[in-house]
Amino acid sequence: MSRTTTAARTRTGTPAPGRRTTTALARALPLALLLTACGGSPQADDSAVTVTIGYQSKTINTVTAGTLLRSLGHFERELRALGERDGRTYRVVWQDYATGAPITAQMTAGKIDIGSMGDFPLLLNAARGRQLDRPTKLVSVTGYNLRGALNTIVTAPGSSLTTLEDLRGRKVSTSVGSAADGTLVRALEQKGITVRKLNQQPAVGASALSAGSIDALSQFVAWPGLLAFQGKAKALYDGGELNVPTFHGVTTRVAFAEQHPGVVDAFLRAQRTATAYLRTHPVDASRKVATATGLPAEVVHLYNGPNGIATFDPTIKPRLVAALKQDVPILVAAGLVRDGDVDVDAFVDDSHIRRVYGAGYAKQRATLAPPSRSEIWLGDGTTTFATPAGALRHVAAHRDRVRAAYVPDTTTGTLWFADRSVWLRDGNRRLPFQTRSAADAYRAAHPGARLLTYEQALRP
């Protein structure tokens, strides 16, 4: 596991009379004592507060609480304003991880104050906090998909595997306890299939797929889209077929929130501002995240664009809470938590995000994502289309200028790259599917439909 840690110091206001400045403290105190301030540990001077944020830069549907938020500097600005009101100096430390598990480990050790992770890791976060008597709370949501399409099972481009049933007895890589693992477990249970599951970090699993040492990879954003974009994988199973919501959210240590409620509110105000920025400047947001992560901007936009697989909304929606409750028995059956370790109702705390939204909270919480539409990234901007056929015509007319073309799956509505989709012609309609199995299911119900290559789909 690799991790990068950086600190951004935010000086706020003028210290009250009789208090030493941060610079003076740095000279007067040993380095070891200064480091204990990280993560909300006891501090020599309560006018200096260190806030440690754990995030996953490449898990890009958490960007409004991590990568994008950090690049925009909204949290630091909120803390400067808070410091002007309370006379404190705030210092932010950002810690980047590949998955949610190490964030939870650091939180229960008191070394991370606020973290973001997926739905299954959130439940593990709640369980570990309760077991160790260091409770945490879910305080907001970053990105969600009501059908579960944030997680995808992919296989090698030339693989003969086309259905979930084809995985029976095969080697499948995932990160155990992750949201993608949850999708894999659910999908296999529905079909009564057993596989040889390997517990690997996303990057390790991606390399194993390319090397041919595994048969399939079940992972969360942005790995499936990245591998498909690079021509290193094809989608085998769309998590949207489960029709069970999946999401990522923000969790905080209860002890920290009780000691610094204003900091948690400031973080969520900054998250709300970053969410608004992503919605009003989607292409620029995708570019910022791409620059920060090294991911192709076209892949970021597949998930984070206005028609993307993820919908960004900090409010905690009842359907997402209900999905968490459905997840608990799966974690218990897998032996990842014990029965009784997770009380979802006690874990969910929307008091902070309610304060941030004020009277508008109930209305925003009731707002759900509209269906995705086809979208073409051409030059410096994007254009949406009412139908995939309209998008295809546009691509055909501007081939040399198209950066990316996205179309929603005909069955699930999951957005996917047009040139990586499976296409059918049914009468005068050209229909995209994320997976061959979905296209085959459609053909079974519509015998007149026939397969098209992407080049054939582009023709009038």
Side-chain angles (χ1 to χ4, degrees), residues 174-198:
T174 190
S175 301
V176 172
S178 70
D181 183 33
T183 291
L184 178 64
V185 169
R186 269 205 173 94
L188 295 177
E189 282 185 349
Q190 282 189 0
K191 300 289 186 180
I193 299 169
T194 301
V195 301
R196 289 182 284 169
K197 186 162 67 173
L198 282 69

Side-chain angles (χ1 to χ4, degrees), residues 155-157 170-171 204-216 232:
T155 190
R170 303 275 190 162
K171 292 181 181 178
V204 175
S207 296
L209 185 68
S210 295
S213 58
I214 60 171
D215 298 292
K232 296 179 179 179

Side-chain angles (χ1 to χ4, degrees), residues 118-163:
D119 41 19
F120 271 57
L122 282 168
L123 292 172
L124 294 172
N125 183 275
R128 299 295 180 261
R130 188 168 183 174
Q131 291 165 359
L132 298 171
D133 196 27
R134 293 184 175 181
T136 57
K137 294 281 189 179
L138 171 66
V139 293
S140 73
V141 169
T142 57
Y144 71 89
N145 183 283
L146 290 179
R147 293 189 62 100
L150 293 172
N151 310 305
T152 309
I153 302 174
V154 298
T155 190
S159 172
S160 61
L161 307 178
T162 59
T163 69

Side-chain angles (χ1 to χ4, degrees), residues 110-122:
K111 296 180 180 179
I112 286 180
D113 304 308
I114 300 172
S116 54
M117 59 192 71
D119 41 19
F120 271 57
L122 282 168

